[in-house]
Each structure stands twice: as C-alpha cells, then as structure tokens.
C-alpha cells in the first residue's frame, strides 16, 4: 500500500521545484477562522476553489493514490499539530487551454473523459505547487504494512443478499444525468445507495 508521509518539519521544509507550467495563473490562500464555515470544493469556469479546508484535506486532494482515488486518513501521516484544526480558503485561476471547460461538480465520475481526467491531474499539480509555495510542504512516499479488510462471499452457494442485484450497465457510455450509475449516494446517516457499482468499489467504500 502506498502512503504519503508529511515531513515532520513541515513548515520549515525546503521548497521543491515544480514542473514548468503546472501552476495557477493566480492563487489565493487565506485562513478561514469562521466558526460555521462550510467545506466546499469546486472546479468550474477556469476556477478552482476549496473553502474551509484543513491542510490534511488539501493534501488528500493534491496527492491521490496512483489509481486516482483519494487516500484514507491512515495513508497520510506526520505534519504539524494544526493539520486537522486550522482551516483555509484556497482559490486558483486555471491557465487557459487546460481543457477544463466542464463543471466537475455536476459531472458523474463515470462520465469523465480521459482528457478531463488529465486536466484534473494538472490541477492537482497546481495545488501541490501552492502547498509547497505557501505552506512550505515537503512530502515523501513510504510503503508500510497496515491492517486490511478482505471482501469474501458469505454464502457457500454464492447467492447474493436480497438487496444486492447484478446488473449489466455501461456507465461510461451514459450521459451525465440524475440517475446513479457507477457510484454511491448517501441518502441519510447510515443509509447509502449504489447503482451499477463494481465489487472493488464497494470494498473500498
């Protein structure tokens, strides 16, 4: 399992050079000290914004797993004492020509094209540059052994549970709509609904 480990001297660490062109045109990082701030993330109209975000949440977005999925809390270690306490608003203007002519918040995960995924990866690199420049962040990758769960069939005859139905659906070929396909939606505390979800995603969820 791949881990991101934050350097112990996070604020004092030396800046790391970023590839040319992987920076926002302009970027703003401001502390958010509101007691009732709303966490939000948007990527639309050539603008990236994460509001009321902790440093851990910013690192989680900027350094995903190699598969592209976000890391869990156990996969990010170290950092200053305020990594989960202080909140920030980060806003960046994306350079033109990065292929971000779509609203990531209203685009289903199964409907994102490879070009859009590439553009999002570039935005992550821009956020990494902000973390290095404004927070003096330094990271290193380590491999560690951690407890893990194994998803196994409960019934010896292979029968599925009464609320689990096998379906054949091509979510990638469907236009974005209100229908849930290829992901989960939280309906209420303790109540989730998934449509056309692969077992690997169920296990990760």
């Amino acid at each position: 399992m791949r881990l991101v480990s934050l350097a112990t001297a996070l604020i004092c660490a030396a800046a790391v050079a970023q590839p040319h062109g992987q920076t926002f045109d302009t970027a703003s990082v401001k502390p958010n000290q509101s007691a009732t701030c709303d966490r939000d993330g948007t990527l639309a109209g050539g603008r990236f914004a994460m509001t009321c975000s902790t440093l851990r949440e910013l690192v989680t977005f900027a350094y995903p797993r190699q598969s592209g999925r976000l890391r869990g809390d156990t996969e990010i270690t170290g950092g200053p004492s305020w990594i989960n306490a202080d909140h920030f608003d980060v806003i960046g203007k994306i350079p033109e020509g990065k292929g971000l002519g779509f609203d990531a918040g209203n685009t289903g995960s199964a409907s994102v094209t490879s070009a859009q995924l590439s553009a999002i990866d570039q935005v992550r690199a821009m956020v990494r540059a902000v973390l290095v420049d404004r927070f003096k962040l330094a990271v290193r990758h380590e491999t560690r052994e951690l407890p893990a769960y194994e998803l196994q069939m409960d019934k010896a005859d292979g029968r599925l549970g009464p609320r689990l139905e096998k379906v054949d659906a091509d979510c990638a070929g469907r236009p974005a709509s209100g229908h849930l396909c290829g992901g989960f939606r939280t309906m209420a505390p303790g109540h989730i609904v998934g449509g056309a979800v692969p077992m690997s995603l169920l296990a990760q969820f």
Side-chain angles (χ1 to χ4, degrees):
M1 182 176 290
R2 300 291 293 173
L3 301 177
V4 167
S5 176
L6 301 184
T8 302
L10 183 65
I11 301 305
C12 301
V16 179
Q18 293 293 320
H20 177 70
Q22 299 297 309
T23 58
F24 292 112
D25 277 348
T26 59
S28 169
V29 179
K30 297 181 179 179
N32 188 328
Q33 299 177 342
S34 172
T36 58
C37 65
D38 295 325
R39 286 181 170 84
D40 192 20
T42 58
L43 178 57
R47 179 178 180 271
F48 168 84
M50 284 185 69
T51 58
C52 196
S53 299
T54 63
L55 178 57
R56 179 182 292 276
E57 290 168 339
L58 291 167
V59 170
T60 299
F61 172 80
Y63 293 89
R65 299 174 184 169
Q66 291 181 339
S67 64
R69 299 193 181 280
L70 299 182
R71 299 175 187 272
D73 285 343
T74 59
E75 297 175 73
I76 300 175
T77 63
S81 59
W82 47 265
I83 189 171
N84 297 316
D86 293 357
H87 296 85
F88 303 89
D89 294 339
V90 178
I91 299 173
K93 182 179 182 297
I94 299 169
E96 294 184 6
K98 292 299 181 181
L100 283 170
F102 72 105
D103 185 345
N106 292 321
T107 302
S109 59
S111 303
V112 178
T113 66
S114 58
Q116 290 169 341
L117 287 174
S118 175
I120 292 173
D121 286 340
Q122 293 180 61
V123 172
R124 293 185 193 276
M126 296 175 198
V127 176
R128 291 196 292 270
V130 169
L131 293 176
V132 168
D133 181 50
R134 306 297 174 87
F135 293 92
K136 305 308 177 190
L137 178 74
V139 302
R140 65 177 183 270
H141 288 83
E142 296 179 353
T143 300
R144 297 182 179 179
E145 291 187 3
L146 295 173
Y149 290 98
E150 181 180 4
L151 189 65
Q152 296 181 341
M153 186 66 70
D154 183 57
K155 296 181 175 63
D157 59 8
R159 287 187 298 113
L160 301 177
R163 300 293 297 276
L164 195 63
E165 301 175 5
K166 184 178 179 180
V167 297
D168 293 320
D170 179 14
C171 297
R174 292 187 180 184
S177 66
H179 297 290
L180 187 63
C181 187
F184 291 99
R185 179 177 296 130
T186 301
M187 307 302 292
H191 182 198
I192 62 170
V193 174
V197 178
M199 295 303 292
S200 57
L201 183 59
L202 174 62
Q204 291 175 6
F205 189 87

